[in-house]
Amino acid sequence: GSTTYTIDQSIRFNDDDSAYMHRTPSSGGNRDKWTWSCWIKRANITDANATLFQAGADSQTSNVTTILFNGNSGGAPTLKFNTIIGGSTVLNLATTQYFRDVSAWYHIVVVYDSGNAISTERARIYINGTRITSFGTETYPTQNQDSMVNHTVKQSIGRRNQDSSRYMDGYMTDIHLLDGYAYGPEYFGEFDENGIWIPKKYSGSYGTNGFYIKGSNSGALGTDSSGNGNNYTSSGLASNDQKTDTPTNNMITFNPLNNQRSGGTPSNGNLDYVGPGTRTLISLTANIPSTGKWAVAFKVAQVSTNAGWQIGIT
């Protein structure tokens, strides 16, 4: 790939702020064929059931389609894609892979195509350009089974609808929904000369309820850039949640996976860290380069009266 496409900003979803976006379509679209694509960088991975996208009514057990990291407090989340209709699970794919890397941007593509004659082609998941074929749970919908996506019910990014919980914590950018199109990851990314999956500008159609959210307007982060005007209403998001940490400009943050000694609390997309009253240590998400010139900036907000702080390299 020789694409020079760059992503200039992302949207930080801070679960402490109950941050998410939502929209209810005024008219229905294609519930049998659609594609959802997004670049995601995780922050707090200990939250169970961090919802990326959900469409459905007010009950978690009836009439809902969800894409989420389905984990637990142990921090071992898988990616899950499911649909429940009338209280019965008609689609359930749960990966055997864990998604714990807080230093990396993941590209996730979910395809729903229930009209396909081949059952295993009716629901597909791709991570960084590669299709997932191994699942711990694997249930495919019957042919022409409607999902709740593109229906005239609430569609949310970053939170489930039912009980104001299960918030996504981290960064999201280049969020696409294609209404009526079942497209693979090659429409949104490509491998570079080193075999690394990188973003590519999508140039196709979006359909009736399709959208493209990239967070370019800090005052209205849910603005639809597809031309459809399917804007999402933001809740718990502020202008400073527009960040320059992107798949083409991956930035260093605190690393909660290496939070040692007595521990402490990283927050705000792992940009802030509050240590406990006792001795602690936390590392960053990137190694210092062995050659060249580099700089890392820290701002100390508060120093304890009976202890100091150290910023160093080991």
Side-chain angles (χ1 to χ4, degrees), residues 10-305:
S10 65
I11 304 168
R12 177 181 60 185
F13 289 79
N14 185 11
D15 60 358
D16 292 334
D17 295 332
S18 301
Y20 81 112
M21 301 176 177
H22 61 91
R23 173 181 179 265
T24 301
S26 58
S27 60
N30 194 327
R31 297 168 59 186
D32 294 347
K33 181 182 289 187
W34 50 267
T35 303
W36 186 85
S37 169
C38 182
W39 286 86
I40 295 171
K41 182 178 180 179
R42 305 205 65 194
N44 181 2
I45 65 168
T46 61
D47 283 350
N49 303 312
T51 303
L52 307 180
F53 182 60
Q54 186 178 78
D58 295 329
S59 171
Q60 177 63 18
T61 59
S62 179
N63 302 324
V64 64
T65 295
T66 312
I67 304 168
L68 76 159
F69 289 118
N70 185 213
N72 53 50
S73 58
T78 63
L79 184 66
K80 186 175 182 179
F81 174 32
N82 74 345
T83 294
I84 300 172
I85 300 295
S88 298
T89 300
V90 299
L91 162 65
N92 195 5
L93 297 180
T95 68
T96 57
Q97 298 162 281
Y98 293 153
F99 296 87
R100 290 169 47 87
D101 192 346
V102 294
S103 68
W105 280 90
Y106 295 105
H107 182 224
I108 300 174
V109 175
V110 172
V111 180
Y112 190 75
D113 185 14
S114 67
N116 201 300
I118 303 172
S119 62
T120 54
E121 296 297 311
R122 294 172 192 161
R124 307 191 295 274
I125 299 174
Y126 301 85
I127 306 294
N128 295 338
T130 301
R131 182 173 177 177
I132 304 302
T133 56
S134 177
F135 297 98
T137 303
E138 190 172 10
T139 302
Y140 293 95
T142 58
Q143 193 168 20
N144 300 317
Q145 170 66 59
D146 284 347
S147 70
M148 297 304 292
V149 175
N150 296 319
H151 191 21
T152 54
V153 294
K154 190 175 183 179
Q155 326 266 308
S156 294
I157 300 170
R159 193 198 82 172
R160 81 174 188 175
N161 296 328
Q162 288 71 27
D163 54 9
S164 303
S165 68
R166 301 185 177 183
Y167 289 91
M168 156 72 183
D169 193 78
Y171 305 82
M172 302 175 73
T173 190
D174 261 34
I175 311 169
H176 297 268
L177 177 68
L178 313 183
D179 180 354
Y181 302 92
Y183 287 167
E186 66 275 8
Y187 284 80
F188 312 97
E190 61 186 347
F191 291 103
D192 68 10
E193 61 274 12
N194 297 311
I196 304 299
W197 187 253
I198 59 174
K200 182 173 74 174
K201 184 175 179 59
Y202 175 73
S203 58
S205 301
Y206 285 89
T208 302
N209 286 305
F211 59 80
Y212 170 33
I213 294 175
K214 58 181 180 177
S216 58
N217 183 352
S218 62
L221 291 169
T223 298
D224 174 22
S225 298
S226 72
N228 279 352
N230 293 329
N231 301 319
Y232 270 61
T233 300
S234 298
S235 178
L237 290 162
S239 58
N240 68 347
D241 288 313
Q242 182 192 70
K243 296 299 180 184
T244 56
D245 193 340
T246 75
T248 55
N249 184 38
N250 192 12
M251 303 184 75
I252 295 173
T253 60
F254 287 112
N255 186 359
L257 297 179
N258 193 20
N259 189 6
Q260 303 177 24
R261 309 269 179 146
S262 299
T265 306
S267 62
N268 290 322
N270 292 340
L271 294 176
D272 294 350
Y273 177 74
V274 177
T278 53
R279 193 174 180 185
T280 187
L281 181 150
I282 189 170
S283 69
L284 301 177
T285 56
N287 296 319
I288 298 297
S290 59
T291 60
K293 298 179 180 180
W294 44 265
V296 180
F298 296 88
K299 177 182 178 181
V300 177
Q302 181 178 351
V303 180
S304 171
T305 57

